Amino acid sequence: MQYKNALDVSLDEIVIDSKEGDISSIPRWLAQNLSESEIVTIHDKDDAAYVSRTLNLERIARAHAISGIIADFYIRVNDYISSLDEKDRERIIVSLNSFVVSRIEKIVKLAAASTLTPTIREKLSVEERELYDLIHESTTAFKKRVLRKFD
C-alpha cells in the first residue's frame, strides 16, 4: 500500500504516521477503507500468483495432509475475484470450488479425530477454524450419544 498524501490517522488502537510515497503494511480492512477514500493505493500485484500457488499446493497435497493458508485467505481471494473480468472470474471460481471441497473433506476427517492442534490451526483460515471447531463439537456429541452404553 502506498500513501498518496501525508497521513496521520488514529483509529482506536491503530496509529499511522506517514508521508506521501511511504509504503507499508496495514490491516487489509483498513487499507480497503483508505483506498475507497482515495487516501492510499493498494499494491496487490501478487494476488494472482498467490491464489494460483495456494490452489495448486492444495491440489498436489496428499489426501490426508492439509496445506497451509493465511488466516484471511478467503477475504483476499474474494477481493481478487471481484477485480477480475467475468471470464477469468468463472475460471477461478471453478478452481476455488474444488479447493474448498478438498479442504472441507480434510477438515472433517481431522476434526472428527481430534481437537484443533496448534500445528493444524496455523494452516487454516479463520473460517476454517470455526468449521473445524463446529465439526469437532458435533462429532464428539454424536460419539457420546451413540456410544453412551460404553462410557
Side-chain angles (χ1 to χ4, degrees):
M1 181 198 59
Q2 182 174 15
Y3 299 99
K4 294 182 178 179
N5 312 333
L7 181 64
D8 185 15
V9 176
S10 178
L11 300 172
D12 295 328
E13 298 175 15
I14 298 172
V15 176
I16 301 171
D17 184 16
S18 69
K19 62 183 185 293
E20 183 177 350
D22 283 353
I23 296 177
S24 64
S25 295
I26 62 173
R28 190 168 200 77
W29 65 267
L30 180 57
Q32 292 285 73
N33 287 333
L34 294 173
S35 177
E36 290 168 6
S37 300
E38 298 184 359
I39 295 172
V40 300
T41 302
I42 298 176
H43 294 283
D44 276 340
K45 296 176 185 172
D46 64 334
D47 274 351
Y50 172 74
V51 170
S52 177
R53 184 174 50 252
T54 302
L55 297 178
N56 284 331
L57 284 174
E58 184 64 32
R59 186 177 48 78
I60 63 173
R62 294 184 313 249
H64 62 281
I66 194 160
S67 62
I69 62 174
I70 58 175
D72 68 346
F73 175 77
Y74 294 104
I75 294 169
R76 188 170 178 175
V77 166
N78 281 303
D79 287 348
Y80 171 65
I81 289 172
S82 68
S83 72
L84 298 174
D85 62 37
E86 188 175 338
K87 178 182 167 192
D88 290 335
R89 186 178 304 128
E90 288 177 17
R91 182 181 51 78
I92 292 294
I93 289 172
V94 167
S95 296
L96 189 58
N97 281 324
S98 175
F99 172 86
V100 169
V101 167
S102 172
R103 291 191 65 90
I104 289 172
E105 289 172 354
K106 292 175 182 182
I107 290 168
V108 167
K109 289 176 186 175
L110 292 167
S114 69
T115 58
L116 185 58
T117 65
T119 304
I120 296 172
R121 180 181 177 76
E122 69 185 25
K123 293 181 177 186
L124 304 178
S125 73
V126 172
E127 299 86 353
E128 290 173 341
R129 291 174 196 160
E130 291 176 12
L131 177 62
Y132 193 106
D133 290 339
L134 180 66
I135 292 167
H136 181 72
E137 291 169 15
S138 297
T139 55
T140 300
F142 177 79
K143 288 175 196 174
K144 285 180 181 177
R145 187 171 54 245
V146 300
L147 299 175
R148 66 178 177 254
K149 294 178 184 178
F150 306 105
D151 282 346

